[in-house]
Amino acid sequence: MHIHVLGSAAGGGYPQWNCNHENSRQARRGDPSSLQRTQSSIAVTSDEERWFLFNASPDLRNQILETPALHPKYGLRQSPIQGAVLTNADVDHIAGLLTLRESQPLHIYATENVLQALARNGIFDVLNADFVKRIPLVLNQPNPLMGPDDSDARIVVIPFSVPGKVALWLEKENGEIQTANVNEDTIGIQICEADGTTKAYYIPGCASIPKWLAARLKESPLVLFDGTLWVDDEMIRSGISTKTGKRMGHISVSGDDGTMAAFSSLNVKRKIFIHINTTNPILRTNSHERKEVEKAGWEVAYDGQEIRL
Amino acid sequence: MHIHVLGSAAGGGYPQWNCNHENSRQARRGDPSSLQRTQSSIAVTSDEERWFLFNASPDLRNQILETPALHPKYGLRQSPIQGAVLTNADVDHIAGLLTLRESQPLHIYATENVLQALARNGIFDVLNADFVKRIPLVLNQPNPLMGPDDSDARIVVIPFSVPGKVALWLEKENGEIQTANVNEDTIGIQICEADGTTKAYYIPGCASIPKWLAARLKESPLVLFDGTLWVDDEMIRSGISTKTGKRMGHISVSGDDGTMAAFSSLNVKRKIFIHINTTNPILRTNSHERKEVEKAGWEVAYDGQEIRL
């Protein structure tokens, strides 16, 4: 199995379009310590031919251009992309579906909650139902990913709820905001070989790590995990927002109740932060926060990163 | 006044993600005769400080990154972008609104038809109404563009219906498809200085050029016009689609009923094709079709093109 990191930044990307924070400025001026990053998504293949996207980033058109493995190979209209698996309905995870138009057969996998959100937004009808099938994920069960020609892609996903919240743009419809619900709004994905061997966990959004989640991830070979913020009040401290990480449904990297602490005794073989916000100091290779995560055995995902399993 | 071409390709961009046509392949492999192009949008300013987007391309995040004039200049969150004017509800003209999230004050100008399409799609609520005002354009009247701080941007637009059709993703809701309606679904924009002097016409989608439209454009200083297809059956001839240009609401560049013929006696001072499809041979500088449009006095827009008026 082979994972290609298409995008490693949180919503808005790095740098975010209207952010003038020093972190964003460094990326914008091309500082080599602060690699630019597109919005988070990975592509996964088991045969180097058929690829599934995990989340569809608003930057998808550019991500495809940058990734020769995803270019059309034969005929006049074709794509190695077989479909997409969505972990929630955040704009940074679904807007890229709009790039996948033009009568290309595809399978879109998501929970019923997310599929309903797509169905309520007619703009996604640009993915013609004659070509694009929307398939509900069954939580806590192995879901074999099938190509649009109904061939078995030999990738099995086991989706499961993680603490999180409904997408920002759905908050209004949802009344009182619950920021750490465990339901179909935000899921993690256990990615397995066809024979059921677990190869990786992909959890780009997660509000907390309760004991059951820690137990599930223990001893696993690879976890790609929510690295949105360094500290919970990062956006407030830097003066750019009134929102905490908790309010946004994201656990912090640091601190006693943060991700590094929660993972410290889990013996996960390889740990990679992904979905990293434009304000997070771990984006800069020369920050002391970056050194701290590396000391704790974590990597910081970058666009174009190849992970062979 | 100053126009910056952010993107010059039609929906899907050049190359389009799943297109393996020779035109697209040349762009993908970086052939210098076949410059890559993002999806169509222009930015306009009258003071080099405050900019309005005309259409919001799915490639907007990348277009902003490539355009220093649109980077934030001071404070922690800021943008020279004051808002956007939309000519229809096509995905390639509105998906970029999703990039403009993050609590940035903006004004979105569009016809009632297009605003209603946005309102029916909750995903656009990611543009928080506390910051982003949606303002109906009044057709055939001067509409002064106002920044979100209610300052006069000293750009006046006169929107007017042109022959066209409803956006592809809205066809289902609209019953029988009319491909050359003259209503609020597709408009052209006459761009004027604050004193009313006409500087340019921006018409990235147009199904035909009736006499009244030709008369309106006559003697004008600059027209940026729909250059989607070379011939009406281009997509069918090349074997990649069953749709004609007419069916898509786009007049062709060539032919007796095409754009070059219609403009031949209009004495427009400067004529630029924009919104060019990945299959159109005028995209390649060494094609005979490109030479033909140049001989007829037309330019072919490219990303980053600066037009000073």
Side-chain angles (χ1 to χ4, degrees):
Chain A
M1 193 171 283
H2 171 193
I3 294 176
H4 182 101
V5 176
L6 292 170
S8 48
Y14 179 53
Q16 185 182 297
W17 75 284
N18 66 341
C19 184
N20 205 30
H21 181 280
E22 182 53 26
N23 243 28
S24 298
R25 293 161 65 126
Q26 285 197 16
R28 201 172 279 121
R29 67 175 174 253
D31 188 316
S33 74
S34 313
L35 267 187
Q36 296 194 358
R37 284 167 165 88
T38 60
Q39 291 160 88
S40 97
S41 168
I42 60 173
V44 181
T45 185
S46 65
D47 60 9
E48 300 296 323
E49 281 184 20
R50 296 170 300 172
W51 293 79
F52 274 88
L53 308 177
F54 284 61
N55 290 323
S57 157
D59 298 310
L60 181 56
R61 181 174 178 274
N62 212 47
Q63 292 170 341
I64 293 173
L65 271 177
E66 297 288 331
T67 311
L70 301 184
H71 295 174
K73 298 289 183 294
Y74 50 83
L76 281 162
R77 289 281 164 102
Q78 187 263 342
S79 175
I81 297 171
Q82 308 289 296
V85 181
L86 309 175
T87 64
N88 62 18
D90 281 353
V91 167
D92 54 321
H93 288 156
I94 67 170
L97 295 177
L98 301 175
T99 284
L100 299 174
R101 62 197 192 279
E102 312 295 353
S103 306
Q104 185 67 38
L106 295 167
H107 281 175
I108 308 295
Y109 292 90
T111 63
E112 284 285 6
N113 279 16
V114 171
L115 291 180
Q116 282 168 21
L118 295 178
R120 287 196 303 276
N121 282 262
I123 193 167
F124 292 101
D125 290 346
V126 80
L127 300 183
N128 187 331
D130 292 343
F131 300 98
V132 178
K133 207 163 141 188
R134 302 179 187 189
I135 302 168
L137 286 169
V138 185
L139 293 190
N140 309 311
Q141 298 288 328
N143 294 240
L145 299 185
M146 310 295 284
D149 58 356
D150 287 323
S151 68
D152 184 343
R154 302 190 62 77
I155 301 168
V156 173
V157 298
I158 305 175
F160 56 100
S161 298
V162 297
K165 69 170 197 63
V166 78
L168 176 63
W169 61 276
L170 290 167
E171 287 187 359
K172 207 172 63 181
E173 305 174 14
N174 273 259
E176 203 186 336
I177 308 307
Q178 303 293 330
T179 56
N181 268 337
V182 182
N183 62 20
E184 290 211 347
D185 289 326
T186 302
I187 58 172
I189 309 269
Q190 185 176 347
I191 305 173
C192 308
E193 295 272 20
D195 67 4
T197 314
T198 299
K199 303 301 276 187
Y201 282 89
Y202 175 60
I203 309 174
C206 190
S208 65
I209 305 178
K211 280 186 185 147
W212 58 263
L213 179 55
R216 177 165 193 157
L217 301 178
K218 201 165 182 170
E219 311 282 348
S220 60
L222 168 66
V223 178
L224 291 145
F225 199 83
D226 181 344
T228 311
L229 298 178
W230 174 250
V231 288
D232 191 53
D233 59 354
E234 180 172 312
M235 311 269 281
I236 299 170
R237 277 195 212 187
S238 60
I240 58 179
S241 169
T242 55
K243 278 190 182 171
T244 60
K246 284 199 183 75
R247 172 64 185 81
M248 298 191 296
H250 294 292
I251 187 176
S252 302
V253 166
S254 67
D256 290 345
D257 54 356
T259 303
M260 285 196 295
F263 271 70
S264 62
S265 59
L266 299 186
N267 197 30
V268 170
K269 307 289 179 293
R270 194 171 176 190
K271 302 172 287 192
I272 305 179
F273 283 120
I274 196 165
H275 192 279
I276 305 156
N277 195 58
T278 195
T279 53
N280 190 332
I282 68 171
L283 286 167
R284 290 182 281 113
T285 52
N286 54 9
S287 69
H288 72 83
E289 293 88 349
R290 174 68 158 263
K291 288 180 179 62
E292 211 172 309
V293 297
E294 287 173 351
K295 208 173 136 190
W298 285 83
E299 299 169 57
V300 177
Y302 55 90
D303 293 14
Q305 184 173 11
E306 304 281 1
I307 304 165
R308 291 177 195 273
L309 300 164
Chain B
M1 193 170 285
H2 171 193
I3 294 177
H4 181 101
V5 176
L6 293 170
S8 48
Y14 178 53
Q16 185 182 297
W17 76 285
N18 66 341
C19 184
N20 205 29
H21 181 280
E22 183 53 27
N23 243 28
S24 298
R25 293 161 63 126
Q26 285 197 16
R28 200 172 281 121
R29 67 175 174 253
D31 188 317
S33 74
S34 312
L35 267 188
Q36 296 195 358
R37 285 167 164 86
T38 60
Q39 292 161 88
S40 96
S41 167
I42 60 173
V44 181
T45 185
S46 67
D47 60 9
E48 301 294 325
E49 281 184 20
R50 296 170 299 172
W51 293 80
F52 274 88
L53 307 178
F54 284 60
N55 290 324
S57 157
D59 298 309
L60 181 56
R61 181 174 177 274
N62 211 49
Q63 292 170 342
I64 293 172
L65 271 177
E66 296 290 330
T67 311
L70 302 184
H71 294 174
K73 298 288 183 295
Y74 49 83
L76 282 161
R77 289 281 164 102
Q78 187 263 342
S79 175
I81 297 171
Q82 307 289 296
V85 181
L86 309 175
T87 64
N88 63 17
D90 281 352
V91 167
D92 55 319
H93 288 157
I94 67 171
L97 296 176
L98 301 175
T99 284
L100 299 174
R101 63 198 193 279
E102 313 294 352
S103 306
Q104 185 68 38
L106 295 167
H107 281 175
I108 308 295
Y109 293 90
T111 63
E112 284 284 5
N113 279 17
V114 171
L115 291 181
Q116 282 167 22
L118 295 179
R120 287 196 303 276
N121 283 263
I123 193 168
F124 293 101
D125 290 346
V126 79
L127 300 183
N128 186 333
D130 292 343
F131 300 98
V132 178
K133 207 162 143 189
R134 302 180 188 189
I135 303 169
L137 286 169
V138 184
L139 292 189
N140 308 311
Q141 297 289 330
N143 294 241
L145 299 185
M146 310 296 284
D149 58 355
D150 288 323
S151 68
D152 185 343
R154 302 189 62 76
I155 302 168
V156 173
V157 297
I158 305 176
F160 56 101
S161 298
V162 296
K165 70 170 196 62
V166 78
L168 175 64
W169 62 276
L170 291 167
E171 287 187 359
K172 205 172 64 179
E173 304 175 15
N174 273 258
E176 203 187 338
I177 308 308
Q178 302 292 331
T179 57
N181 268 338
V182 182
N183 62 19
E184 291 210 348
D185 289 325
T186 302
I187 58 172
I189 309 269
Q190 185 176 347
I191 305 173
C192 308
E193 296 271 19
D195 67 5
T197 314
T198 299
K199 303 301 277 187
Y201 281 89
Y202 175 59
I203 309 174
C206 190
S208 65
I209 305 178
K211 280 186 185 146
W212 59 261
L213 179 55
R216 178 166 193 157
L217 301 179
K218 200 166 183 170
E219 311 282 348
S220 59
L222 168 65
V223 178
L224 290 144
F225 200 82
D226 181 344
T228 311
L229 297 178
W230 173 250
V231 288
D232 191 51
D233 59 354
E234 180 171 311
M235 312 270 281
I236 299 170
R237 279 195 211 187
S238 60
I240 59 177
S241 168
T242 55
K243 279 188 181 173
T244 60
K246 284 198 182 76
R247 171 64 185 81
M248 298 191 296
H250 293 293
I251 187 174
S252 303
V253 166
S254 66
D256 291 345
D257 55 355
T259 303
M260 284 195 296
F263 271 71
S264 62
S265 59
L266 298 186
N267 196 30
V268 170
K269 307 289 178 296
R270 194 172 176 189
K271 301 172 288 193
I272 305 179
F273 283 119
I274 195 166
H275 192 278
I276 305 155
N277 195 57
T278 194
T279 52
N280 190 332
I282 69 171
L283 286 167
R284 289 182 282 113
T285 52
N286 54 10
S287 69
H288 73 83
E289 293 88 348
R290 174 66 159 263
K291 289 180 178 62
E292 211 172 309
V293 297
E294 286 173 351
K295 209 174 136 190
W298 285 83
E299 298 169 58
V300 177
Y302 55 90
D303 293 13
Q305 184 174 12
E306 303 281 0
I307 304 166
R308 291 178 194 273
L309 301 164

